[in-house]
């Protein structure tokens, strides 16, 4: 049953949180295990919904997934992989976007794939055209069937020269997971190079793949016939880390984020410092805190790595409602990632969302009626209100706004937040937040 959070705001969050493996890597590394001919071990695995969904999908396909009761490490054994019943797979329709990445590994393992209709956050259209184009270029045959898509490759997958129209994270992963065991060489230009992709490449290299990343967003993969298993510790979740950093700023708090990695967050750290946030960077994590003075406004554009990550945008916008002056944020990755500002406006924030590209570079969404630029004026005192969580990052942003607000907020739909924030209510309680959880009526 879904729960309701009743938050009494105005308490600075202080203390320590531990961030584990990245939501945007762990489920994909689990999928990669299917490419091997022996078991793999994945460490630093968070307890989040996408891990549950992929565990279940892999099990339906005959992969044994065992979780160590103490460490939470996963051992994934693909040696008895088999075709799953489409009715069983169908039960996962709408749960996540990860299933589309099973295509290549399933074709290599069992010759075909049935992928249920996808889920994921509603932050734009989120099409899968790049994925399907890529698969066709590898020689796959894609058929739409009731409840999902069926993919086969009568002649096996073969290497291809592929160019992505946009450096999509998922489509780059689709290429990596399909090409490593395809026959011949694949050259992918216009690839995404996010740290989670580099970590997936590290996983595949441990399994025996031959992959090189060149300086110009080109990735070259020499297909190999067989892959072994891996033993890998997932990189830390830089999006969860940045979310807690913004929570410290918004609530005038002080949070040590154990596991946060400077190397993967450099662009965020520069921005956090420009806004006026304090930080101490250590070997085992980063302390983020409010320095007591005023926060500064800024002009910001989200972008693919190494730019400012779109997933950092929503929590940071809440911090910008507390900055002294006018900030401008141009979202260039998703066309519809400002819906969450409606609730902030009801809480007293001053935010206007525009269709124009308010950034130095016009993006794909300019002149196309997408409200993808925001002008935020501050500082404005936020007031508690009723909120229904719209998506993962927007939902976390609403939480931190409610935690900083005067008065009480009632937040529904919080299960969405479990998709990317492990045990977030326990973490909030540990940081001193004042809230109750009750079952929704
Ligand atoms: N796109 C297409 N066609 C496609 C695929 C993508 O037009 O076939 C477009 C998307 O609509 C979007 C852009 O390309 O406008 C970028 O999408 P991308 O494929 O890079 O995103 P993704 O792989 O679906 C992952 C993360 C997102 C994160 C993005 C960008 C996972 C499970 N999700 O999504 O994470 O925002 O990359 O870095 O890895 C989140 O964590 O809250 C989240 C949404």
């Amino acid at each position: 049953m879904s729960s309701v959070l009743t938050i009494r705001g105005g308490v600075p969050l202080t203390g320590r949180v531990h961030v584990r493996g990245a939501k945007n890597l762990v489920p994909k590394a689990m999928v990669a295990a299917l490419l091997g001919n022996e078991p793999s071990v994945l460490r630093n695995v968070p307890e989040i919904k996408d891990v549950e969904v992929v565990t279940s999908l892999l099990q339906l396909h005959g992969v044994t997934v065992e979780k160590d009761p103490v460490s939470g490490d996963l051992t994934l054994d693909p040696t008895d992989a088999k075709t799953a019943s489409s009715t069983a797979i169908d039960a996962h329709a709408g749960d996540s976007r990860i299933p589309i990445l099973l295509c290549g590994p399933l074709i290599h393992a069992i010759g075909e794939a049935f992928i249920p209709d996808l889920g994921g956050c509603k932050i734009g259209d989120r099409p899968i055209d790049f994925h399907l184009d890529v698969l066709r270029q590898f020689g796959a045959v894609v058929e739409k069937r009731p409840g999902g898509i069926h993919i086969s490759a009568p002649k096996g997958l073969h290497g291809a020269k592929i160019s992505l129209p946009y450096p999509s994270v998922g489509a780059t992963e689709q290429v990596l997971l399909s090409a490593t065991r395809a026959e011949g060489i694949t050259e992918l230009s216009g690839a995404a190079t996010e740290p989670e992709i580099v970590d997936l490449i590290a996983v595949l290299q441990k399994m025996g793949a031959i992959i090189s990343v060149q300086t110009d967003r080109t990735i070259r993969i020499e297909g190999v016939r067989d892959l072994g298993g891996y033993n890998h510790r997932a990189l830390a979740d830089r999006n969860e880390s940045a979310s807690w950093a913004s929570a410290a700023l918004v609530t005038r708090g002080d949070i040590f984020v154990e596991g946060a990695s400077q190397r993967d967050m450099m662009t965020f750290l520069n921005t956090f410092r420009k806004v006026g946030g304090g930080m101490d960077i250590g070997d085992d994590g980063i302390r983020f805190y409010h320095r007591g003075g005023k926060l500064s406004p800024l002009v910001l554009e989200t972008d693919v790595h190494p730019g400012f990550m779109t997933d950092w945008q929503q929590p940071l916008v809440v911090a910008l409602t507390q900055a002294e002056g006018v900030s401008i944020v141009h979202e260039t990755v998703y066309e519809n990632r400002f819906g969450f500002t409606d609730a902030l406006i009801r809480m007293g924030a001053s935010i206007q969302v525009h269709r124009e590209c308010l950034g130095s570079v016009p993006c794909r969404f300019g002149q196309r009626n997408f409200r993808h630029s925001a002008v935020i004026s501050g500082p404005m005192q936020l007031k508690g209100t009723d909120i229904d969580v719209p998506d993962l990052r927007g939902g976390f942003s609403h939480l931190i706004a409610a935690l900083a607000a005067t008065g009480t907020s009632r937040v529904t739909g919080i299960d969405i937040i479990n998709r990317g924030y492990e045990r977030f209510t326990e973490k909030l309680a540990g940081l001193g937040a004042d809230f109750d959880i009750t079952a929704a009526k």
Side-chain angles (χ1 to χ4, degrees):
M1 186 191 288
S2 179
S3 313
V4 182
L5 273 191
T6 304
I7 297 177
R8 290 166 290 276
V11 181
L13 296 183
T14 50
R16 196 179 175 95
V17 291
H18 181 190
V19 166
R20 295 208 283 175
K23 160 190 157 281
N24 291 350
L25 175 273
V26 167
K28 299 153 188 187
M30 293 172 70
V31 170
L34 193 50
L35 288 164
N37 54 17
E38 57 187 6
S40 291
V41 176
L42 185 58
R43 293 175 285 122
N44 205 24
V45 178
E47 288 175 15
I48 53 171
K49 176 88 187 296
D50 274 358
V51 170
E52 276 173 37
V53 173
V54 177
T55 299
S56 172
L57 278 169
L58 289 175
Q59 286 170 335
L60 290 174
H61 286 96
V63 178
T64 313
V65 183
E66 275 172 20
K67 181 174 169 178
D68 184 291
V70 179
S71 62
D73 295 352
L74 296 181
T75 302
L76 305 115
D77 186 350
T79 40
D80 291 324
K82 58 167 197 219
T83 301
S85 101
S86 53
T87 334
I89 296 177
D90 215 27
H92 288 293
D95 276 353
S96 158
R97 276 181 76 75
I98 306 293
I100 191 71
L101 295 176
L102 283 159
C103 295
L106 280 176
I107 290 174
H108 289 302
I110 55 177
E112 61 172 349
F114 178 72
I115 307 300
D117 290 333
L118 301 179
C121 285
K122 301 283 174 280
I123 47 181
D125 247 2
R126 307 199 75 183
I128 51 167
D129 51 335
F130 300 166
H131 293 256
L132 301 184
D133 283 353
V134 158
L135 287 161
R136 289 190 184 104
Q137 290 181 66
F138 280 115
V141 178
V142 179
E143 278 172 76
K144 178 80 191 113
R145 291 203 183 156
I149 45 175
H150 181 266
I151 295 148
S152 57
K155 296 185 186 154
L157 298 182
H158 51 78
K161 199 168 161 69
I162 299 171
S163 176
L164 289 179
Y166 182 79
S168 150
V169 169
T172 301
E173 292 160 344
Q174 185 71 261
V175 171
L176 289 169
L177 291 164
S178 301
T180 40
R181 280 185 56 193
E183 199 204 320
I185 292 172
T186 295
E187 193 181 273
L188 172 67
S189 54
T193 58
E194 268 61 8
E196 292 78 14
I197 288 179
V198 176
D199 212 38
L200 182 62
I201 292 175
V203 164
L204 293 167
Q205 187 177 53
K206 284 176 175 170
M207 298 175 81
I210 303 171
I211 303 172
S212 54
V213 182
Q214 292 158 18
T215 46
D216 58 349
R217 289 197 179 279
T218 299
I219 300 181
R220 192 169 186 278
I221 304 133
E222 292 181 36
V224 296
R225 187 181 287 272
D226 296 307
L227 291 176
Y230 64 79
N231 185 317
H232 189 76
R233 180 181 162 80
L235 89 170
D237 197 311
R238 64 198 173 109
N239 298 338
E240 185 184 350
S241 302
S243 298
W244 289 117
S246 290
L249 212 50
V250 171
T251 64
R252 306 181 73 84
D254 187 335
I255 303 178
F256 181 76
V257 183
E258 187 185 345
S261 153
Q262 176 189 17
R263 203 190 39 200
D264 299 332
M265 296 181 70
M266 286 189 159
T267 307
F268 177 82
L269 298 179
N270 286 336
T271 304
F272 190 82
R273 182 165 277 157
K274 282 201 264 181
V275 177
M279 68 180 94
D280 295 334
I281 302 172
D283 289 342
D284 59 343
I286 305 177
R287 173 185 169 217
F288 295 99
Y289 56 97
H290 193 295
R291 293 148 59 96
K294 292 176 179 169
L295 299 183
S296 306
L298 48 70
V299 176
L300 181 73
E301 222 155 9
T302 63
D303 207 344
V304 294
H305 186 76
F308 189 91
M309 173 91 185
T310 169
D311 299 329
W312 299 334
Q313 178 260 102
Q314 289 150 303
L316 191 83
V317 162
V318 187
L320 294 177
T321 66
Q322 302 308 305
E324 185 97 3
V326 177
S327 298
I328 298 175
V329 179
H330 181 206
E331 168 62 57
T332 76
V333 179
Y334 289 109
E335 68 274 27
N336 188 18
R337 214 168 191 178
F338 281 125
F340 78 107
T341 57
D342 291 348
L344 298 182
I345 293 167
R346 280 195 286 112
M347 295 177 85
S350 169
I351 303 175
Q352 288 89 38
V353 187
H354 297 274
R355 293 184 167 83
E356 289 76 11
C357 292
L358 299 183
S360 52
V361 185
C363 76
R364 299 172 293 150
F365 310 134
Q367 315 302 327
R368 288 180 55 207
N369 274 330
F370 297 122
R371 289 156 49 88
H372 70 293
S373 295
V375 177
I376 305 134
S377 312
M380 298 299 279
Q381 176 62 57
L382 302 176
K383 299 178 290 289
T385 190
D386 286 358
I387 303 166
D388 190 36
V389 165
D391 64 77
L392 177 65
R393 308 288 167 201
F396 189 87
S397 308
H398 291 159
L399 280 189
I400 61 178
L403 288 159
T406 55
T408 302
S409 299
R410 195 172 164 278
V411 188
T412 49
I414 58 168
D415 289 350
I416 296 176
I417 300 176
N418 289 320
R419 283 198 40 234
Y421 295 89
E422 181 182 38
R423 299 175 181 225
F424 73 93
T425 49
E426 278 174 41
K427 290 180 184 174
L428 285 176
L431 293 170
D434 183 5
F435 67 92
D436 303 313
I437 310 182
T438 45
K441 296 206 178 86

